[in-house]
Amino acid sequence: MKKLENVFCYPDTLQNRYVPQSWQIFIMNSFLNNFKKKIQFYTGENHRGYGKMKIFSEKIKTKPKINGFIFYSLIQFCYDKKTNIHLIEKAVESNYTIYLAREKIKIDKENFKKKKNDLVFFKYTNQKLIESIKKKFEK
Amino acid sequence: MHKNLLTFEKEFYTRGFSKISLLEGHKKTFDILKKKIKTKFRKNFFKNNFENFHKNISDKEINKIRMNVINYINTIKGLNENIYLSIKPFIDTLLGPDIIVQKSMNLGIQMPLDGSRALFHKDTPLSSNYEIVVWLPLVDCTKSMCMLLIDRKNHDKADKLLDGKDIDRFDKFAKKYGVLEEVKYGEALIFNTNNYHYIPLNKTDKTRWAINTRYKNLFTPYGERNLLDYYEILKLSPLTKIFDK
């Protein structure tokens, strides 16, 4: 079976003022080069749905024929009260790979369990940064 | 003989650094590592050993080789865990049960008279104060192959150097106040990220090989190096595991 090389890309809308979207995409593209994958399409969460990551959540349901999804950062999963790790879990269980460019990690079905603790504690250890990004965006 | 834990704690607290021996039987982790490196990079080693690595390597080649070796050692499964196990009681007594470790360890290969070295510095505030550096040589380090560490009691003086103008002030200071710890293969140096240190020009006729990696308690304050971008969880206490959801 031919390996899928395309990836959907999700820049972080809330971090655009710190890292402009064009640079976020440049960073994500450069990270994907290590895995010989390409961005096929990109979209950002909107101002209302970024906490629950509604656009990403809906996209998984459509079962696109792609290798996976790349995000600028795991921070994007931490804007709601609870970290949206269940979405990562859902994606990897559907055989998609999740790429996180800022953290330089790739999560798939094989390593998800091993990485889960890191993902869970990430919000705790980055709390100040996450709160400050959210606060400035919501102003 | 292994340094008593209490002596280690006292010394670390007073000076901000301490030299230890690897736990018995754990030197083999590094023997295996060296064997793997030598096999993988046999073309670069020719017939030389680690100490004489420079004999067939030019200044132009060394950086690329260094990066390749670093990338290679970071692909070796279980190496991070094995390094931790080789010094476990010392790390545990400093950090407690919830420990995170640097995702990608560094390796310094410093050939004789190789000028590409870090200047007098400390790792904070990029790292937080709540982190330790473990420096593990893969060869016996004597004289200028060693790092100079500044005792905690002299840190205020070192801080003032930043306001000075004399271009040689850091070198002069390190020579005056730096403590040179000769660290043999099978030993390690543990120091706080807030400790000033200085790497002298290697004036010996041997190449220095040394791994350096960082550890931290998961629940202590962070600098600019955080979980996943720089660190990953090494171990959690049973209590933390219960409440990690």
Side-chain angles (χ1 to χ4, degrees):
Chain A
M1 202 176 99
K2 200 185 166 192
K3 279 190 179 173
L4 297 165
E5 64 169 20
N6 289 333
V7 170
F8 282 176
C9 164
Y10 289 81
D12 185 350
T13 311
L14 279 69
Q15 289 200 59
N16 276 342
R17 68 167 68 179
Y18 312 106
V19 188
Q21 195 174 77
S22 59
W23 273 101
Q24 289 191 32
I25 291 170
F26 180 82
I27 292 166
M28 287 189 269
N29 250 325
S30 136
F31 184 55
L32 281 179
N33 282 341
N34 297 322
F35 308 100
K36 298 191 169 104
K37 303 292 177 216
K38 285 179 190 162
I39 292 174
Q40 186 191 47
F41 158 98
Y42 73 87
T43 183
E45 292 291 342
N46 68 39
H47 287 58
R48 285 187 171 186
Y50 66 86
K52 301 257 182 260
M53 303 181 79
K54 287 183 180 168
I55 292 178
F56 172 51
S57 167
E58 289 302 317
K59 195 72 202 174
I60 304 174
K61 288 180 195 162
T62 66
K63 297 181 180 169
K65 284 186 182 170
I66 53 167
N67 165 267
F69 303 90
I70 183 161
F71 293 83
Y72 174 63
S73 170
L74 181 61
I75 291 173
Q76 289 164 258
F77 289 81
C78 304
Y79 292 136
D80 205 14
K81 274 185 186 166
K82 271 195 164 183
T83 315
N84 287 314
I85 292 175
H86 66 282
L87 291 178
I88 297 181
E89 191 163 13
K90 201 170 170 185
V92 297
E93 274 176 4
S94 306
N95 289 316
Y96 292 117
T97 302
I98 299 288
Y99 301 89
L100 301 166
R102 179 182 172 271
E103 293 77 26
K104 290 199 328 201
I105 56 166
K106 178 185 130 178
I107 305 161
D108 54 27
K109 214 173 187 173
E110 279 177 32
N111 70 1
F112 177 73
K113 274 191 181 166
K114 194 176 171 251
K115 296 269 179 215
K116 196 171 175 183
N117 276 329
D118 292 284
L119 302 175
V120 168
F121 282 103
F122 179 87
K123 188 174 180 183
Y124 173 83
T125 64
N126 284 278
Q127 211 163 8
K128 275 188 189 167
L129 174 65
I130 295 163
E131 285 309 315
S132 117
I133 294 170
K134 266 178 74 177
K135 214 171 160 183
K136 289 207 171 116
F137 182 74
E138 285 161 1
K139 257 185 185 175
Chain B
M1 201 178 127
H2 293 300
K3 190 173 270 178
N4 174 300
L5 264 186
L6 281 176
T7 312
F8 167 77
E9 284 175 11
K10 198 176 165 191
E11 187 174 74
F12 188 90
Y13 174 70
T14 313
R15 312 180 85 180
F17 60 89
S18 185
K19 183 172 79 171
I20 54 163
S21 296
L22 304 182
L23 297 183
E24 216 168 310
H26 284 269
K27 199 174 165 186
K28 70 175 181 221
T29 293
F30 301 92
D31 292 338
I32 295 168
L33 173 65
K34 284 177 76 172
K35 206 173 169 184
K36 282 184 175 172
I37 294 173
K38 210 167 171 185
T39 308
K40 179 82 180 173
F41 296 92
R42 56 187 173 276
K43 282 183 187 167
N44 302 118
F45 273 92
F46 294 95
K47 286 176 182 173
N48 299 318
N49 58 18
F50 279 70
E51 288 86 347
N52 293 322
F53 184 72
H54 57 276
K55 291 202 168 159
N56 292 83
I57 303 293
S58 70
D59 290 352
K60 282 183 184 169
E61 292 170 293
I62 187 61
N63 199 42
K64 196 178 173 197
I65 295 169
R66 185 164 35 214
M67 295 315 293
N68 289 340
V69 180
I70 290 173
N71 288 337
Y72 171 65
I73 63 172
N74 280 296
T75 63
I76 299 173
K77 280 189 179 164
L79 182 60
N80 245 337
E81 287 79 5
N82 286 334
I83 291 179
Y84 163 71
L85 290 174
S86 72
I87 47 176
K88 184 178 184 300
F90 303 102
I91 304 270
D92 288 356
T93 196
L94 293 176
L95 302 179
D98 298 299
I99 299 174
I100 59 176
V101 60
Q102 192 175 320
K103 258 167 64 175
S104 302
M105 65 189 84
N106 295 323
L107 175 80
I109 306 175
Q110 201 193 2
M111 305 201 299
L113 303 177
D114 176 359
S116 55
R117 64 203 160 104
L119 300 174
F120 181 86
H121 73 286
K122 57 179 183 175
D123 291 4
T124 55
L126 185 59
S127 288
S128 72
N129 289 343
Y130 301 85
E131 297 168 39
I132 53 168
V133 184
V134 175
W135 190 81
L136 294 136
L138 299 181
V139 295
D140 287 344
C141 288
T142 55
K143 297 175 184 169
S144 57
M145 290 168 86
C146 306
M147 189 185 299
L148 288 165
L149 286 143
I150 309 299
D151 227 295
R152 275 183 59 199
K153 67 179 180 203
N154 291 318
H155 276 210
D156 288 346
K157 289 186 198 111
D159 284 336
K160 285 178 189 155
L161 286 178
L162 297 171
D163 302 326
K165 283 180 183 164
D166 177 9
I167 201 160
D168 297 328
R169 65 194 186 280
F170 296 107
D171 293 345
K172 284 179 190 165
F173 183 88
K175 275 169 198 159
K176 186 172 178 185
Y177 294 105
V179 177
L180 188 137
E181 287 278 7
E182 296 206 329
V183 189
K184 288 183 181 158
Y185 176 52
E187 295 180 327
L189 196 59
I190 301 183
F191 60 97
N192 179 216
T193 42
N194 197 41
N195 249 77
Y196 281 102
H197 48 284
Y198 172 83
I199 297 157
L201 186 68
N202 179 2
K203 289 179 183 166
T204 72
D205 58 356
K206 290 174 182 163
T207 297
R208 189 193 76 188
W209 290 68
I211 288 174
N212 68 78
T213 191
R214 285 153 186 79
Y215 297 86
K216 159 179 184 63
N217 180 301
L218 174 66
F219 297 110
T220 49
Y222 286 77
E224 301 307 319
R225 292 165 161 170
N226 212 303
L227 197 58
L228 286 174
D229 59 67
Y230 193 78
Y231 283 106
E232 62 187 359
I233 291 173
L234 179 70
K235 68 187 269 281
L236 295 175
S237 73
L239 185 65
T240 303
K241 281 182 192 165
I242 291 175
F243 295 106
D244 76 353
K245 301 293 179 283

